[in-house]
Amino acid sequence: MPSSLLGSTLSPTSTPLCFHQKLKNFNPIRCSHGVHENGSAFHPEKSAALGTGTGTGSGSCRPPRPRRIILVRHGQSEGNVDESMYTRVADPKIGLTQKGMGEALDCGRRIRELLEKDEVDDWKVYFYVSPYRRTLETLRNVAKAFGRTRIAGVREEPRLREQDFGNFQDREKMRREKAIRQLYGRFFYRFPNGESAADVYDRITGFRETLRADIDIGRFQPPGEQTPNMNLVIVSHGLTIRVFLTRWYKWTVEQFEGLNNLGNGNMIVLEKGYGGRYSLLMHHTEKELREFGLTDEMLIDQEWQKMAKPGDVNYHCPMTGSAFFTHFDDEDDKVLATE
């Protein structure tokens, strides 16, 4: 499927959704940086534990949340070109092609161009990366666009690895298994000696909690150097990225199964909205997200994410609210409401 999201450069969104209802009277979150009486900066871990610090909420001020979380799919791998590679090379050891190296370099340049448009001097990036060879090689090439001074750090994270399809793979058997998966369902089908997407969901849930804790205590930002212009870049795999988004936004299994893979060396951007939550519509157009697989209901929720604050709950979300119960009779509801 040709798509700017799946196979080429992304552009910022410029037009609202036709069904967007504009929210008014919201207050953007602001956070000042506190210091101890002796002039030293608060230690983020201690601040979080003691209920003190520099953010808002529950009497404490947390470090500023990163401006963006950018999900990057690795560049073209040797396995993308030749499936027989999986029969003789372990999946974690499959590297990038020369084209894949170039895709990663180009992705790094696009990320840098995006961050420089913020027109701030203190922006930085912090990387999380799958330990597979192709993602590590992607990261090393992406990072060439930044140099050491702009990189706050990197963490290798095994929970970001590709879905496990088993060990050395028999090519014809894998084709049969993938055909069966289409019949069974892409989310629940488990490969023999491997994983289902549901298994990936479970480990991504654990990573998400780690990521949220890192954000809350500002682990990637040294005390005294905290900035709202930090950007997190997660270098991972196609299915893992789709599962991450499904878990982050609480999409349903059916919605997950309607998503498409990013193209090799492409990215999808969760950007902090006007209230402090992350929305895909802060960067991407409606057209791009539809091509990725988002439905009307998912796009409506992304509009809400643009305006909402951390901790807010979307009680009218069509995926989780009373609209879920489409089999109810409206007339029966009116009768019950008067009883």
Side-chain angles (χ1 to χ4, degrees):
M1 173 188 297
S3 166
S4 57
L5 180 60
L6 306 183
S8 61
T9 306
L10 299 171
S11 59
T13 183
S14 58
T15 57
L17 298 175
C18 59
F19 44 73
H20 170 48
Q21 294 182 345
K22 186 175 181 181
L23 301 179
K24 297 181 179 179
N25 301 320
F26 69 93
N27 294 316
I29 293 177
R30 298 183 182 274
C31 182
S32 60
H33 300 288
V35 296
H36 291 297
E37 292 181 359
N38 63 6
S40 63
F42 283 123
H43 191 282
E45 282 95 342
K46 291 182 179 178
S47 298
L50 296 173
T52 61
T54 60
T56 57
S58 304
S60 67
C61 191
R62 292 173 173 171
R65 305 179 92 205
R67 183 180 288 267
R68 298 176 186 86
I69 301 173
I70 302 172
L71 307 175
V72 173
R73 186 185 177 199
H74 62 80
Q76 183 190 73
S77 73
E78 295 166 334
N80 293 139
V81 175
D82 180 7
E83 288 186 350
S84 70
M85 288 289 297
Y86 296 104
T87 67
R88 58 185 184 274
V89 180
D91 196 359
K93 296 180 180 180
I94 290 178
L96 296 183
T97 63
Q98 284 301 311
K99 179 180 178 181
M101 298 282 189
E103 289 171 338
L105 281 167
D106 182 62
C107 183
R109 295 189 190 105
R110 298 202 316 268
I111 294 174
R112 178 158 189 142
E113 289 172 2
L114 171 63
L115 306 190
E116 288 179 338
K117 288 179 181 178
D118 294 336
E119 297 184 346
V120 295
D121 295 328
D122 61 345
W123 66 264
K124 287 195 174 184
V125 291
Y126 186 96
F127 296 103
Y128 294 85
V129 61
S130 157
Y132 279 31
R133 179 181 167 188
R134 56 189 177 273
T135 40
L136 292 171
E137 289 179 347
T138 297
L139 172 59
R140 291 188 180 102
N141 283 278
V142 165
K144 289 179 181 179
F146 304 101
R148 296 181 189 276
T149 59
R150 291 293 187 179
I151 298 175
V154 59
R155 180 184 299 178
E156 183 178 288
E157 176 51 73
R159 289 172 292 184
L160 290 172
R161 68 189 185 274
E162 175 64 288
Q163 179 182 4
D164 188 347
F165 296 102
N167 297 313
F168 292 105
Q169 301 168 17
D170 180 279
R171 190 174 182 182
E172 291 305 316
K173 183 178 179 181
M174 282 303 299
R175 287 178 176 174
R176 291 195 300 271
E177 295 293 342
K178 288 181 178 180
I180 296 171
R181 179 179 62 173
Q182 288 298 111
L183 295 174
Y184 192 91
R186 289 197 296 163
F187 188 77
F188 292 111
Y189 182 77
R190 179 181 286 121
F191 287 91
N193 301 313
E195 290 181 305
S196 65
D199 295 322
V200 179
Y201 186 97
D202 291 343
R203 59 173 155 89
I204 286 297
T205 295
F207 169 72
R208 177 179 177 271
E209 296 311 308
T210 297
L211 181 63
R212 290 187 62 179
D214 287 353
I215 290 172
D216 286 346
I217 66 175
R219 191 181 298 279
F220 40 77
Q221 303 193 78
E225 300 178 23
Q226 293 171 354
T227 170
N229 299 310
M230 177 63 68
N231 297 269
L232 304 185
V233 179
I234 298 174
V235 183
S236 188
H237 307 263
L239 179 134
T240 309
I241 288 171
R242 286 182 279 131
V243 168
F244 178 94
L245 291 167
T246 299
R247 181 63 185 86
W248 187 275
Y249 289 118
K250 301 178 179 63
W251 293 337
T252 66
V253 170
E254 182 179 3
Q255 288 166 339
F256 165 82
E257 293 186 335
L259 298 176
N260 300 299
N261 254 356
L262 294 178
N264 289 115
N266 273 274
M267 62 182 178
I268 189 163
V269 180
L270 294 74
E271 185 167 328
K272 193 161 59 174
Y274 305 109
R277 294 178 73 100
Y278 295 99
S279 172
L280 300 174
L281 278 169
M282 290 298 295
H283 176 81
H284 300 291
T285 64
E286 175 188 346
K287 180 177 183 291
E288 288 173 331
L289 294 179
R290 286 192 184 279
E291 289 170 341
F292 182 57
L294 270 68
T295 63
D296 286 350
E297 292 79 9
M298 298 158 81
L299 288 165
I300 291 169
D301 183 61
Q302 288 301 311
E303 283 286 356
W304 178 85
Q305 301 280 347
K306 284 174 64 173
M307 312 299 287
K309 299 177 182 179
D312 285 355
V313 178
N314 186 359
Y315 292 102
H316 303 290
C317 176
M319 287 95 76
T320 60
S322 60
F324 172 84
F325 300 100
T326 57
H327 61 289
F328 284 177
D329 187 290
D330 291 342
E331 292 302 318
D332 290 343
D333 284 347
K334 292 178 182 177
V335 173
L336 289 170
T338 60
E339 292 181 352

